[in-house]
């Protein structure tokens, strides 16, 4: 077990930022931390990285407690903070060297590690520039390079792809995925597709509590009992939505039928079932039987957005 | 204690002094002001002494020490880079010590050109070398106290102006103490005299190196750095 978080709470004065959360992360796992603003993601990450102390509860990283064995934890963890603070008056190489020194990288290894990071994060052309002159995307790469310079066992990345352009995002994601095979990666993000693209497990955190925890597919299955099917049909002009709806509902297990779009004799419907039964075949037979032209028929997966909104909507009230 | 960590912080801070205009402005302005006072008095008084250097420097330091030091920690707080330092395997006192030594080294660089005055005056007349050595030793120690106190001031706040003013206030208080002693009853005066920085400096500047003075300097420096470390630790374990 790489990271063990036990009954962790953190108060800022009276405000509860993190409220009694417990989870574990295994080596080789890429954990996505999701949640609305102010949910406690950054606070949790700051406690794991020893920047803040927990008010209650305990955390151990690779068997080292963050409170009693803080220096060991900090040696093992690579951390990219949320706002990606950097020394703007240093150039990229100076900064990487400084970070490597402070992370106790053995002196003879430092030049090699620096070169690997510069190459791996695509900083070759910028390595002699002052960080203050770099664009946000390049600064983000510098932050990532610095977080990984000592080849840490555990990587904590607070919004690693913010400020990057789509190409860079893809590069960084694949970098994270490659790293995640041997390391433990915890990343937080607002961008839901990012979690789907990189993480093999998600923790949704809301108001300091864990709202959901598990692989994305499990979450999709558990939160959405029934199936959702999208169907587009060609029908005679005299048929109205009400008439079609009644006929569609004759198929067992269908709960709701709603109209998405209607034009030029075609109709797009969204059909939801109450149980997880596949009714696509029944719908096909229905179309054949009624003589409707079947243009499109597919199962809609509950997106992470839906799960996210379902679990965190109470905070928007 | 991990000397290597202190060394890394020291190197980084010293480099950033010389990568920015800070070091050059401090050195040039200090030498310009001191030079004016030194040269204008030297021939009028017609005495071969470096007294001007030893009398003016603590006074200039009142402003220079807070100015040299104010960004050391407060800037890290403001820009968030303190989060980087705090998540590295390095202890707070190593950060504070490294930074203090870096700014003290900058002060060495600032002071060293005044050795030209030593050469000039020793050619023109006979200098009391003992007093000169004592004077420089005293300046280094007074500077260290002022800088250590200012490091503490910088640790208190993320605002550099506030850091400057607070440091100036503390340093000024330490400096002024023995000038207001005769307003006070003797029982308090003795204590305050011991705390006063100038009292100890005047001993050393005469060429008298007394362990009591040395102890005073090192304990004040140590105490100021200890307080700065505590401020940082509180920040983390709040």
């Amino acid at each position: 077990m790489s990271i063990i978080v036990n009954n962790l709470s953190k108060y800022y004065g009276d405000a509860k930022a993190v409220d009694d959360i417990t989870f574990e992360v295994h080596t080789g796992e890429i954990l996505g931390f999701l949640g609305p603003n102010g949910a406690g993601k950054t606070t949790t990450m700051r406690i794991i990285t020893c920047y803040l102390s927990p008010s209650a509860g305990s955390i151990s990283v690779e068997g080292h407690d963050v409170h009693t064995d803080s220096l060991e934890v900090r040696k093992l963890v690579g951390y990219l903070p949320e706002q990606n603070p950097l020394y703007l008056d240093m150039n990229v190489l100076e900064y990487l060297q400084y970070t490597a020194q402070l992370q106790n990288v053995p002196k003879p290894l430092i030049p090699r590690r620096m070169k690997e990071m510069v190459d791996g994060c695509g900083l070759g052309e910028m390595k002699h520039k002052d960080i203050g002159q770099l664009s946000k995307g390049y600064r983000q790469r510098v932050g990532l390079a610095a977080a990984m310079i000592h080849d840490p066992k555990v990587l904590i990345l607070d919004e690693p792809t913010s400020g990057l352009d789509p190409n860079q995002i893809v590069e960084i994601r694949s970098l994270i995925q490659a790293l995640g095979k041997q390391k433990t990666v915890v990343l937080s993000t607002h961008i839901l597709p990012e979690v789907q693209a990189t993480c093999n497990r998600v923790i949704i955190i809301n108001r300091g509590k864990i709202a959901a925890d598990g692989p994305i597919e499990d979450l999709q299955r558990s939160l959405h009992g029934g199936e959702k099917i999208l169907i587009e049909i060609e029908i005679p002009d005299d048929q109205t939505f009400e008439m079609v709806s009644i006929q569609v509902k004759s198929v067992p297990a269908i709960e709701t039928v709603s109209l998405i779009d209607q034009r030029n004799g075609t109709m797009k419907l969204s059909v939801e079932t109450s149980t997880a039964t596949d009714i696509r075949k029944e719908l096909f037979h229905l179309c054949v039987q009624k003589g409707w032209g079947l243009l499109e028929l597919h199962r809609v997966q509950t997106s992470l957005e839906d799960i996210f909104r379902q679990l965190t909507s109470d905070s928007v009230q | 204690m991990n000397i290597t960590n202190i060394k890394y912080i020291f190197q980084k801070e010293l480099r950033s002094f010389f990568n920015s205009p800070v070091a050059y402005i401090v050195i040039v302005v200090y030498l310009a002001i001191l030079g004016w006072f030194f040269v204008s008095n030297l021939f009028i008084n017609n005495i071969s002494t470096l007294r001007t250097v030893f009398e003016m420097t603590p006074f200039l330091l009142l402003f220079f020490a807070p100015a040299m030091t104010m960004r050391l920690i407060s800037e890290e707080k403001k820009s968030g880079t303190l989060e980087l330092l705090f998540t590295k395997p390095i202890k707070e006192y190593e950060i504070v010590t490294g930074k203090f030594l870096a700014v003290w080294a900058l002060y060495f660089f600032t002071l060293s050109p005044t050795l030209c005055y030593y050469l000039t005056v020793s050619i023109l007349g006979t200098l009391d070398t003992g007093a000169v050595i004592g004077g420089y030793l005293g300046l280094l120690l007074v500077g260290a106290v002022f800088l250590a106190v200012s490091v503490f001031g910088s640790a208190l706040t993320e605002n550099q102006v506030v850091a400057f003013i607070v440091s100036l206030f503390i340093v000024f208080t330490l400096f002024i103490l023995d000038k207001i002693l005769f307003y006070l009853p003797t029982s308090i005066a003795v204590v305050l005299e011991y705390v006063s920085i100038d009292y100890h400096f005047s001993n050393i500047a005469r060429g008298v190196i007394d362990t009591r003075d040395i102890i005073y300097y090192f304990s004040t420096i140590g105490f100021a750095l200890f307080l700065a470390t505590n401020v940082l630790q509180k920040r983390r374990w709040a």
Side-chain angles (χ1 to χ4, degrees), chain B residues 124-220:
Chain B
L124 293 174
T126 32
L127 257 178
D128 180 354
T129 312
V132 171
I133 293 172
Y136 272 107
L137 184 67
L139 283 188
L140 289 178
L141 291 172
V142 172
V145 171
F146 281 13
L147 292 168
V149 168
S150 306
V151 167
F152 165 66
S154 180
L156 287 176
T157 169
E158 58 168 48
N159 187 319
Q160 294 190 25
V161 178
V162 175
F164 178 82
I165 303 281
V166 169
S167 305
L168 179 65
F169 176 74
I170 306 174
V171 164
F172 184 74
T173 312
L174 285 176
F175 184 74
I176 206 74
L177 270 178
D178 77 337
K179 274 112 193 148
I180 55 167
L181 288 179
F182 57 90
Y183 297 111
L184 298 167
T186 341
S187 53
I188 307 175
V190 176
V191 178
L192 288 185
E193 190 181 55
Y194 184 76
V195 179
S196 155
I197 203 162
D198 217 30
Y199 165 73
H200 298 277
F201 178 62
S202 54
N203 285 346
I204 293 187
R206 281 205 312 267
V208 184
I209 295 169
D210 188 333
T211 34
R212 274 176 302 179
D213 300 324
I214 305 288
I215 288 170
Y216 163 80
Y217 283 118
F218 280 105
S219 56
T220 318

Side-chain angles (χ1 to χ4, degrees), chain B residues 9-84:
Chain B
I9 300 277
F10 170 82
Q11 286 171 340
K12 186 256 167 192
E13 292 300 336
L14 195 61
R15 190 163 44 191
S16 84
F17 276 130
F18 283 94
N19 274 345
S20 70
V22 177
Y24 308 102
I25 290 179
V26 166
I27 293 174
V28 168
V29 174
Y30 167 77
L31 290 177
I33 298 176
L34 187 78
W36 187 78
F37 281 105
F38 183 74
V39 173
S40 61
N41 287 337
L42 183 67
F43 294 105
I44 297 170
N45 295 343
N46 210 16
I47 304 171
S48 55
T49 173
L50 293 183
R51 262 184 64 187
T52 329
V53 175
F54 302 138
E55 278 173 7
M56 280 305 293
T57 300
F59 186 71
L60 289 175
L61 260 184
L62 282 181
F63 302 94
F64 273 86
M68 285 151 85
T69 318
M70 62 181 187
R71 54 158 275 286
L72 270 186
I73 298 175
S74 49
E75 196 186 30
E76 301 239 20
K77 281 188 165 184
K78 181 136 202 159
S79 67
T81 46
L82 201 62
E83 187 166 356
L84 294 172

